[in-house]
């Protein structure tokens, strides 16, 4: 519990730094706003065309009784939209960080300078750094996609689907968020997603203390504009703490 609360305080530190700097808040909010509109637009488009899409996916049901055909297509339509919404909630931060890479890199660097943290990198140029970010984002979105599909189908299990699965979904989403938020520092030092996973796994309680509130707050549309830049700062602090601990060990 002590480490969990310490992780939550890390998010609080990031929130405090962002709120004291309106310029950084504005810089961090712009990519989140763009990402939010893109994902909401994609979900809206899917919802609008879901009837046609479901009909295209189920030509075998054309000869069924009308009530049975309609029941199948309604269930499948709800399933498609629900799975897309779950994937969007999990991958939102990954997409936002990709869109706003230079913005959030600037925020992370400002946090490091203000807090006296080490700002060194491995000497890779902007193009290579962008390539790393794109590669890692694709990996994390694929992880989010696989996890969202598994959790979606588990949700149909009676009792477990309504009790255990929502908790698992929140923890899974929070873990993906943590992997994303420490990424700026790890990428800059030439470290991989696997390196992030190893560091976070060695500090599970502190990591979830930071990422679980971040994930839950990011489910609130307006809150995302403040929470994401604050979490970038918090993730930067966690990344430095974990990497420094590994070096000291």
């Amino acid at each position: 519990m002590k480490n969990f609360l310490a992780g939550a305080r890390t998010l609080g530190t990031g929130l405090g730094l962002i709120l004291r700097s309106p310029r950084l808040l504005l810089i961090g909010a712009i990519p989140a706003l763009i990402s939010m509109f893109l994902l909401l637009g994609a979900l809206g488009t899917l919802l609008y065309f879901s009837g046609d899409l479901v009909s295209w996916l189920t030509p075998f049901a054309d000869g069924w009784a009308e009530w049975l055909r309609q029941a199948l297509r309604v269930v499948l339509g709800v399933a498609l939209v629900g799975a897309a919404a779950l994937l969007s909630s999990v991958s939102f931060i990954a997409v936002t960080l990709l869109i706003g890479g230079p913005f959030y890199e600037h925020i992370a660097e400002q946090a490091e300078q203000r807090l006296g943290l080490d700002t060194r990198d491995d000497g890779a140029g902007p193009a290579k750094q962008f390539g790393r970010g794109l590669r890692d984002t694709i990996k994390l979105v694929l992880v989010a996609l696989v996890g969202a599909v598994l959790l979606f189908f588990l949700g149909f299990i009676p009792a477990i689907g309504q009790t255990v699965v929502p908790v698992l979904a929140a923890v899974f989403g929070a873990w993906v968020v943590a992997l994303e938020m420490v990424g700026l520092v790890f990428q800059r030092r030439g470290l991989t997603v696997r390196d992030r996973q190893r560091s976070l796994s060695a500090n599970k309680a502190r990591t979830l203390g930071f990422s679980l509130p971040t994930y839950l707050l990011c489910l609130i549309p307006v809150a995302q504009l403040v929470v994401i830049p604050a979490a970038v700062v918090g993730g930067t602090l966690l990344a430095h703490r974990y990497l420094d601990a590994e070096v000291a060990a």
Side-chain angles (χ1 to χ4, degrees):
M1 181 58 68
K2 179 181 178 181
N3 286 332
F4 186 91
L5 293 176
R9 286 195 296 272
T10 303
L11 177 61
T13 300
L15 184 61
L17 189 149
I18 288 296
L19 292 178
R20 289 193 301 271
S21 179
R23 179 173 172 273
L24 291 182
L25 176 59
L26 178 62
I27 290 173
I30 292 173
L33 192 61
I34 295 172
S35 182
M36 182 173 66
F37 279 120
L38 287 175
L39 290 175
L40 287 177
L43 281 175
T45 302
L46 176 62
L47 185 61
Y48 182 79
F49 289 105
S50 60
D52 295 334
L53 180 59
V54 168
S55 296
W56 178 76
L57 289 172
T58 58
F60 57 85
D62 289 342
W64 294 9
E66 184 175 354
W67 69 269
L68 185 58
R69 181 175 65 251
Q70 291 297 330
L72 170 67
R73 288 175 174 172
V74 167
V75 170
L76 184 57
V78 171
L80 285 173
V81 174
L86 179 59
L87 176 61
S88 295
S89 69
V90 173
S91 61
F92 172 79
I93 294 178
V95 174
T96 301
L97 292 180
L98 179 63
I99 292 173
F103 296 84
Y104 294 124
E105 182 69 29
H106 175 72
I107 291 175
E109 290 174 354
Q110 287 294 309
E112 288 170 331
Q113 291 174 10
R114 296 183 187 189
L115 298 172
L117 300 174
D118 186 359
T119 60
R120 72 175 186 274
D121 58 33
D122 66 345
K128 190 171 183 179
Q129 290 285 5
F130 178 79
R132 288 174 181 172
L134 179 60
R135 176 199 63 200
D136 292 347
T137 295
I138 292 172
K139 287 181 180 179
L140 289 173
V141 169
L142 289 175
V143 169
L145 176 61
V146 172
V149 170
L150 290 175
L151 289 167
F152 176 75
F153 284 109
L154 287 175
F156 287 102
I157 301 176
I160 293 177
Q162 293 72 47
T163 55
V164 177
V165 172
V167 176
L168 290 177
V171 173
F172 172 73
W175 197 260
V176 173
V177 165
L179 287 169
E180 292 160 349
M181 286 303 178
V182 301
L184 292 172
V185 176
F186 276 74
Q187 286 171 10
R188 198 170 60 207
R189 298 191 183 183
L191 300 172
T192 65
V193 173
R194 182 171 295 181
D195 295 321
R196 299 186 217 176
Q197 174 66 26
R198 186 186 67 252
S199 292
L200 297 184
S201 296
N203 301 273
K204 293 185 181 69
R206 187 183 294 269
T207 297
L208 287 175
F210 160 74
S211 63
L212 190 56
T214 300
Y215 173 76
L216 295 176
L217 288 170
C218 279
L219 297 178
I220 306 171
V222 177
Q224 297 164 347
L225 304 180
V226 178
V227 173
I228 291 181
V232 168
V233 176
T236 299
L237 297 178
L238 279 185
H240 278 281
R241 180 183 180 88
Y242 296 166
L243 290 174
D244 290 347
E246 289 177 6
V247 170

